Amino acid sequence: MQKEYLFLGDESVHNDRYLLAVYRAIPQDGIALDDLATEIAAEASTGSNLKVGSATNYSLELNARVYKVDEKNHLIWIAFPWEIFDSDGNVQNILTFIVGNIMGVGESKGCRLLDVYFPPSMLVHYDGPRTTIDDMRNYLEVFDSPILGTIIKPKIGLTPNEYAELCYDFWVGGGMFVKNDEPQANQHFSPFTHMVDAVRMAMDRAEDKTGRTKVHSFNISAVDFDTMIRRAEYVVSKMKPGSYAFLVDGITAGWTAIQTIRRRYPDVFLHFHRAGHGAITREENPFGMTVPVLTMFGRLAGASGMHTGTAGVGKMAGTPDIDMMAAKQALNVRAEGQFFTQIWSKIPHADSDLQKMIKDEETKAAMNLRSFVKSQADVTHLDTMEHDWRVVRKMAPIISGGLNPVLLPEFIEVMGTIDFIVTMGGGVHSHPMGTQSGTTAVVQSYEAWKQGVSLEEYAKDHEELKVAVDFYNAHGTQAHRIKGHEGV
Ligand code: CAP
Ligand code: MG
Ligand code: MG
Ligand code: MG
C-alpha cells in the first residue's frame, strides 16, 4: 500500500485541476484492491514500487490520487493533476502516463481504462479538431445525407490506373468520398505519387461527368515524419484544396504522427484510422481502454474524423451501446461516458452560451431525424465560423467495416444522426453489377431510408438496389437486429 496516493473521499479532485479516470482493476490473488490502486496511481504519476526519500513537497502534490474504490465491481477512480502532462498539448504523453507502464504492473491481472474526464482548464491546452465534416460538406455541397464513401478493394495489389478506375466508377455511381485502405502506402506496384496522379485524373473526369465535387482520403502513414510530409506535400501540389483528406494510421503510426499532421495541415481533414485498436479496446481484453475512451483521445488530438465502429451491424466486434457512446464523444458538446459526463468546452460549464449550445444540441437530437434531414435539403452552406472557439470542435464518426447497401438504413436508425462518414469496401465492390452499380445501390438505399420506404419497396423500380437486396441478404454480414436502441 502506498498511502501517499490514497485520498478516499477527496472532493478537491473535482476542482478543474485533475484529469479523472476510472479503471477496472483486477488484483492478483492475495492483493487488496486499494493496494493495487495505489500501486497503479504511483506508477502512473510520480512513483515506483518503493517509496523514495527523494520526494519533495512539490513532487508530492503531483501524486495521482485514488479517490474512490468499488471492491465489488473491481473499479478504481484516480485523479491525475493535469499539470504533470507535457505542457505542449501532447496526447501521446497523457497516454504514456495513464495507460503506459501500469498495463504491465505485476500486481494486476487486469487493468482497463473505462472512462476519462477532461476539465475545461485542461482542454485549453489541446488542439482538438480544426477542419471538420462541416467543411467537407460545404466542399461537397452535401447537407442532407451522411457522406457516402468507399474503400477501394482489393485492399492492396492494384496498379495506380486500376485503382483510379474504381475511384471513377464509385464517384460516377453517386459516391462522394474514397479512402486509401489502411495498409496502402508506397508499394512497388503502386508508387504513391503515381497513385495520386491517377486519382486526380479520375477525379477530374468524374467531376466533369457528374457536375459534383469529390473527395479522396490519402494514406500518408510512412516510415518517418519527413516521408509523411513529403507525401502530404505531393498531394497538396497535385489536388485541389478541399478535394483531399490525410489518412493516418493513428495506432500503428502513432499519436505523434496524428498530431504532427494536425499541426502542419490544420486546413486539411485529418482522417484517424484506428487499425490495431482491437488489441487495446476489445471487450474480451482485460487490459487496455474502451472504444469511447480511445475516441476521446482522438478528438483531443485533433482528428477531423475517426472510425468509431458499426455498433455490431458490420463485421467488426462492437456493440450498439459502446459504439454509440464513442460516436457521441466524437460529435457532441455534451457526451455521457460510462462514469463521467464530458463537456467538450474550454470554459466553465456554468457559462450561459455553453448551456444554450448544449440545450440546442439536445433539442436537435430529440427532433425527428427525417424531418431534420428534410430541413437540410435546401441548405447551401454551413457556417462553421459561428462555432464558438471556446468549444472543442466535433470529430466525425467514420463508420466502416462489413457494411453494405442493405445494412445502411438500419445503421442510420441506430446512429440517430446523419452526421457521419460511412465507407463500404466489400459492400460496394462485390455488387454483382460492379462498383458503379454497387455505389448507386448505396445511394438508392439512403434515398429509400430518407423517404421512409422499405428497401424491398424502393427496389421495385431501382435495379441496382434490387440486385443488392437479393445479393446482400444472401451474402452480407447478418446485421444483429438491433431494436429499440436510442441513437446519438
Ligand atoms: C473496411 C475496412 C476498414 C475497417 C476498419 C477494412 O472494409 O477498410 O479498415 O472498417 O475497421 O479494411 O476492413 P470493408 P473500423 O468495408 O470491406 O469491410 O472501422 O472498425 O476501425
Ligand atoms: Mg519508468
Ligand atoms: Mg481498411
Ligand atoms: Mg462492428
Side-chain angles (χ1 to χ4, degrees):
M1 164 73 79
Q2 300 205 37
K3 284 198 294 298
E4 319 81 74
Y5 298 90
L6 192 62
F7 290 77
L8 294 180
D10 177 5
E11 282 304 314
S12 75
V13 300
H14 300 288
N15 73 358
D16 203 20
R17 306 301 307 157
Y18 294 88
L19 177 158
L20 305 181
V22 178
Y23 296 86
R24 176 172 297 112
I26 318 285
Q28 294 290 6
D29 300 346
I31 293 178
L33 185 56
D34 53 4
D35 277 19
L36 174 60
T38 59
E39 292 301 326
I40 289 173
E43 187 59 47
S45 60
T46 55
S48 181
N49 60 327
L50 294 169
K51 182 174 175 186
V52 294
S54 43
T56 66
N57 288 340
Y58 179 63
S59 78
L60 287 169
E61 276 178 35
L62 300 180
N63 286 7
R65 301 181 169 204
V66 177
Y67 66 96
K68 185 177 172 188
V69 170
D70 171 350
E71 296 270 354
K72 185 162 136 318
N73 298 302
H74 291 117
L75 298 173
I76 59 175
W77 282 249
I78 299 181
F80 296 87
W82 54 258
E83 65 193 285
I84 65 175
F85 303 135
D86 180 0
S87 54
D88 297 335
N90 173 358
V91 170
Q92 163 274 329
N93 180 261
I94 302 175
L95 294 170
T96 298
F97 270 108
I98 74 173
V99 284
N101 279 2
I102 61 169
M103 291 298 152
V105 162
E107 286 90 340
S108 78
K109 52 186 176 184
C111 181
R112 185 171 167 75
L113 180 56
L114 302 180
D115 202 4
V116 288
Y117 168 75
F118 307 127
S121 58
M122 173 186 166
L123 284 174
V124 169
H125 300 285
Y126 293 85
D127 297 340
R130 165 74 168 277
T131 300
T132 73
I133 188 172
D134 288 351
D135 300 299
M136 190 181 287
R137 287 186 180 285
N138 285 334
Y139 181 78
L140 289 168
E141 296 178 340
V142 168
F143 304 101
D144 61 346
S145 151
I147 307 285
L148 303 178
T150 190
I151 313 103
I152 299 302
K153 305 282 179 179
K155 184 173 284 221
I156 206 76
L158 298 177
T159 64
N161 287 339
E162 291 164 342
Y163 177 91
E165 266 316 296
L166 290 168
C167 293
Y168 175 81
D169 291 347
F170 177 78
W171 280 323
V172 166
M176 306 145 185
F177 175 91
V178 178
K179 66 178 273 290
N180 283 148
D181 222 333
E182 72 281 354
Q184 179 140 4
N186 186 45
Q187 284 83 355
H188 68 84
F189 46 77
S190 180
F192 184 84
T193 54
H194 296 187
M195 182 269 297
V196 173
D197 295 345
V199 165
R200 174 62 200 262
M201 284 188 281
M203 186 183 278
D204 288 349
R205 284 170 48 218
E207 291 187 343
D208 290 348
K209 185 152 172 71
T210 61
R212 297 302 301 263
T213 45
K214 306 293 180 183
V215 170
H216 187 281
S217 183
F218 293 95
N219 188 348
I220 57 169
S221 313
V223 62
D224 59 24
F225 297 145
D226 294 339
T227 308
M228 287 183 77
I229 288 156
R230 244 194 332 274
R231 289 188 191 157
E233 286 304 311
Y234 192 80
V235 172
V236 172
S237 73
K238 294 290 183 170
M239 302 297 292
K240 291 180 294 178
S243 71
Y244 60 89
F246 288 143
L247 185 152
V248 176
D249 295 325
I251 304 296
T252 50
W255 292 87
T256 305
I258 287 283
Q259 291 201 270
T260 296
I261 302 303
R262 165 66 182 79
R263 292 189 170 187
R264 284 187 70 115
Y265 301 96
D267 301 327
V268 180
F269 189 95
L270 175 54
H271 180 158
F272 189 132
H273 194 289
R274 59 179 189 171
H277 78 95
I280 306 167
T281 62
R282 287 202 56 161
E283 293 297 296
E284 304 92 324
N285 187 338
F287 291 92
M289 65 179 113
T290 65
V291 164
V293 166
L294 179 72
T295 306
M296 292 174 79
F297 282 107
R299 183 172 184 179
L300 193 70
S304 308
M306 184 172 183
H307 291 241
T308 51
T310 57
V313 172
K315 72 184 182 187
M316 301 291 193
T319 62
D321 296 345
I322 292 291
D323 289 357
M324 287 311 104
M325 191 182 282
K328 285 178 188 173
Q329 288 292 1
L331 276 174
N332 292 1
V333 175
R334 182 184 185 281
E336 294 292 341
Q338 232 171 305
F339 295 91
F340 303 116
T341 297
Q342 179 63 46
I343 295 183
W344 289 89
S345 84
K346 307 167 183 178
I347 51 180
H349 297 168
D351 177 273
S352 54
D353 292 346
L354 177 63
Q355 287 305 319
K356 183 182 173 315
M357 222 178 281
I358 291 170
K359 197 158 176 47
D360 292 352
E361 176 175 273
E362 288 169 353
T363 309
K364 194 176 114 188
M367 268 174 78
N368 171 293
L369 186 52
R370 279 198 188 86
S371 50
F372 169 74
V373 168
K374 280 203 178 68
S375 72
Q376 295 296 97
D378 51 12
V379 166
T380 55
H381 186 82
L382 291 173
D383 181 357
T384 38
M385 288 322 290
E386 84 199 6
H387 187 102
D388 189 316
W389 61 268
R390 302 172 299 169
V391 173
V392 179
R393 289 191 174 190
K394 65 183 173 182
M395 176 174 75
I398 299 176
I399 308 302
S400 176
L403 290 181
N404 63 58
V406 167
L407 298 175
L408 182 59
E410 179 152 13
F411 185 76
I412 294 172
E413 293 297 332
V414 172
M415 274 296 269
T417 175
I418 56 161
D419 208 9
F420 59 88
I421 297 173
V422 59
T423 60
M424 300 181 198
V428 158
H429 306 291
S430 63
H431 189 287
M433 295 161 71
T435 295
Q436 184 172 332
S437 298
T439 312
T440 305
V442 174
V443 176
Q444 291 167 351
S445 171
Y446 178 66
E447 289 305 325
W449 174 83
K450 199 162 74 170
Q451 295 171 24
V453 172
S454 77
L455 292 183
E456 288 69 19
E457 186 56 37
Y458 201 79
K460 283 181 181 153
D461 46 7
H462 293 89
E463 178 61 12
E464 296 86 350
L465 185 59
K466 165 107 186 59
V467 170
V469 166
D470 297 342
F471 182 76
Y472 292 113
N473 277 342
H475 299 83
T477 313
Q478 282 316 312
H480 312 275
R481 297 288 164 226
I482 302 151
K483 289 293 166 253
H485 177 76
E486 88 285 355
V488 173

